[in-house]
Amino acid sequence: MKNDLLLRALKGLPVERPPVWIMRQAGRYLPDYIKLKNKYDFFTRCRTPELVSEITLLPIDQIGTDAAIIFSDILVVLQAMNIEVEMKPNFGPFIPNPIDSKEKVKNLITPNVRDKLGYVFEAIKITKRDLNDRVPLIGFAGSPWTLFCYLVQGSGSKTFDKSKGFAFANPKETEIILEKITLTTIEYLKGQIDAGADVVQIFDSWGGLLSPSDYSEFSLKYINRIVSAIKNYAPVIIFGKGCWFALNEMVKTGASGLGIDWSCSARNARYLSGGNITLQGNYDPAKLLSPISKIKSDVNQMINDFGKQSYIVNLGHGILPNIPVSHAKAFVDAVKEYKSL
Ligand code: CP3
C-alpha cells in the first residue's frame, strides 16, 4: 500500500500526520458525480461495478483523500432481505411496504449474501484493481438499528417515531428483525473483506435517537456481535451519530476506531473512550461553508485537540451536497500541510 496512513492510524502506529477522508465523499457535491447521476438511476449506479469504481475514485483524484470508500448504500442490505427500496430523486429512500406490523416480520428473509450482494463484492474487486494500492479501500454497512429505522418507518425521518414505537411495543419481533439483519451484515462485511476491503465502517446514523439503556438493548448489542465476528479479518470503525454516551462501551467491542460527531469535543471523546483507541471526526459538515482560511485554521486546531496520533481527520457526519469542491479540498489540504504547535 503506497499510502497506509489510515491503516497505521487504526493500529495506533506512529504517523507523520493523521490520515483524512470524508464521510459520503463519493457523491453528492462532486460535479462529475452529478453528471453520472443524471444518466443512471441510483441503484443502477450501485450495481454496475465499472460505475462504482469510477465514482469511488473521484474524490481520490479530485480532492486527494487518504482513503476510498466504496460507492454503495446501506439500504442494499434491506433489498437483499426481500424488501423493496426505491431511491426517489429529491426525496431519498422510500420503502413501499415497510414492516409496520407484527404480521409482516416474516417478509424479511436471511438471504444467501453471495447471490444477492455479489455485485458489491464484484465492484470492490474492480475498484481495488483500479486503485492499484494507492490508498486503502473502506467497505461499510449500516448498523442493524439504523436499517431497522428505515425498514419500519418506510423513509427517512428526523425522529423515526414509527420505528421507535414499533421497537418499544414489540420488543420480541424487533429482536427477531435485528437478529436477521445482524446475521446478514456479518456475511456481507466478511464478503466485502474477502473481495478486498481493507477496513470496514459501521454507520449507526440513528443510534443517537435512543436513550443509553435502549441503545445497549437495540443497537450496541448487535454492533458488538458484528465487530466480534469480523475484527480478526479487518479493522472496524464504529460511527454512532449522537452516541457519545456509548463511547466507553464501544471500546469494549474490540473496534479499531470510533467516529465522533461535532456534539462531542475532542477532549470529551478522548476522556469517554479511555484515551487509547483511535478516534475519527468531527468537523461540522456545515462549517465547510466557512471561508477557506477559516477551514484551514479550524483543521489545524482540531488536530491539535485530538492529537496527531491515533486520530483520523473526518467530518462529524456526511458531506452536504452544497459544499464547493474547493472547500472540501481545502479541508484535505489543511491536513497535509499540518504543522504541530
Ligand atoms: O461515502 C460515500 O460517499 C459512499 C457512499 C455512501 C452512500 N450512502 C451513497 C449515497 C454511503 C457510505 C452511504 C451511507 C448511508 N446511506 C447512510 C449512513 C451515513 C449517513 O449519512 O448517515 C444512510 C443513513 C444512508 C441512507 C440514505 N441514502 C439516505 C438517507 C439517502 C438520501 C439522502 C442523501 O444522502 O442524498 C441516501 C441516498 C444516497 N446514498 C446518495 C448517495 C450518493 C444520494 C442519492 C443520489 O446520488 O442519487
Side-chain angles (χ1 to χ4, degrees):
M1 189 70 63
K2 285 163 204 135
N3 175 344
D4 66 349
L5 284 171
L6 178 75
L7 305 178
R8 274 190 279 149
L10 283 168
K11 285 187 182 141
L13 295 174
V15 289
E16 315 75 75
R17 63 162 176 89
V20 53
W21 67 282
I22 296 178
M23 283 193 277
R24 307 291 301 270
Q25 67 185 18
R28 297 177 131 187
Y29 63 107
L30 290 172
D32 286 324
Y33 174 76
I34 309 294
K35 281 187 209 154
L36 292 171
K37 179 171 165 158
N38 295 335
K39 234 165 126 185
Y40 309 95
D41 77 89
F42 184 69
F43 289 113
T44 305
R45 273 172 266 147
C46 291
R47 282 167 205 251
T48 313
E50 288 72 23
L51 283 176
V52 171
S53 172
E54 185 181 347
I55 297 169
T56 302
L57 264 61
L58 288 177
I60 311 307
D61 294 333
Q62 301 188 354
I63 58 173
T65 49
D66 295 311
I69 179 162
I70 194 74
F71 177 76
S72 184
D73 197 83
I74 59 169
L75 300 173
V76 298
V77 169
L78 294 182
Q79 289 179 325
M81 297 178 79
N82 204 27
I83 303 296
E84 195 183 333
V85 182
E86 298 168 24
M87 197 59 75
K88 289 196 173 178
N90 306 319
F91 176 80
F94 179 68
I95 295 170
N97 192 10
I99 298 201
D100 49 10
S101 69
K102 284 188 188 184
E103 294 66 46
K104 289 193 190 167
V105 174
K106 60 178 183 312
N107 294 351
L108 198 66
I109 63 158
T110 310
N112 177 323
V113 169
R114 284 195 186 273
D115 286 350
K116 297 285 178 150
L117 292 163
Y119 66 89
V120 178
F121 307 151
E122 195 50 39
I124 288 177
K125 284 184 194 150
I126 303 278
T127 305
K128 279 294 281 183
R129 179 200 70 196
D130 296 347
L131 268 173
N132 196 18
D133 277 343
R134 276 190 282 165
V135 293
L137 180 63
I138 303 171
F140 69 89
S143 74
W145 168 256
T146 289
L147 290 183
F148 172 90
C149 281
Y150 288 97
L151 177 65
V152 176
Q153 192 81 20
S155 67
S157 163
K158 283 204 168 63
T159 57
F160 285 95
D161 52 338
K162 286 185 198 158
S163 316
K164 288 174 73 176
F166 184 97
F168 297 138
N170 309 292
K172 277 222 174 69
E173 286 74 16
T174 300
E175 190 177 349
I176 293 170
I177 296 173
L178 291 168
E179 287 276 345
K180 285 187 183 179
I181 301 176
T182 300
L183 292 176
T184 308
T185 302
I186 289 172
E187 292 312 306
Y188 181 46
L189 289 175
K190 278 188 180 163
Q192 292 188 36
I193 296 163
D194 279 347
D198 301 290
V199 172
V200 296
Q201 174 157 314
I202 299 170
F203 285 90
D204 195 7
S205 307
W206 303 113
L209 296 176
L210 295 168
S211 73
S213 63
D214 292 330
Y215 187 74
S216 298
E217 180 182 346
F218 292 114
S219 191
L220 192 59
K221 179 174 152 193
Y222 303 95
I223 292 177
N224 193 16
R225 293 220 335 243
I226 297 168
V227 178
S228 300
I230 60 177
K231 68 179 181 198
N232 291 336
Y233 304 106
V236 183
I237 304 170
I238 306 173
F239 169 67
K241 173 82 176 38
C243 300
W244 57 269
F245 55 81
L247 287 174
N248 187 260
E249 295 297 314
M250 286 178 186
V251 174
K252 297 179 194 161
T253 62
S256 297
L258 302 180
I260 309 294
D261 68 62
W262 60 96
S263 68
C264 185
S265 68
R267 189 187 161 93
N268 248 336
R270 284 284 180 213
Y271 171 73
L272 292 168
S273 62
N276 289 320
I277 194 166
T278 297
L279 298 181
Q280 170 176 285
N282 70 345
Y283 201 55
D284 180 345
K287 280 199 127 185
L288 285 181
L289 289 169
S290 311
I292 282 179
S293 59
K294 171 81 168 116
I295 294 172
K296 290 201 167 182
S297 62
D298 282 350
V299 168
N300 225 63
Q301 184 63 46
M302 189 166 74
I303 300 173
N304 287 337
D305 291 346
F306 275 97
K308 170 168 106 167
Q309 307 299 339
S310 300
Y311 175 48
I312 301 160
V313 179
N314 206 316
L315 304 179
H317 201 177
I319 190 167
L320 303 166
N322 60 343
I323 301 300
V325 178
S326 60
H327 287 221
K329 186 163 187 304
F331 181 78
V332 172
D333 286 344
V335 182
K336 296 184 176 172
E337 294 156 9
Y338 173 73
K339 303 266 182 302
S340 49
L341 291 175

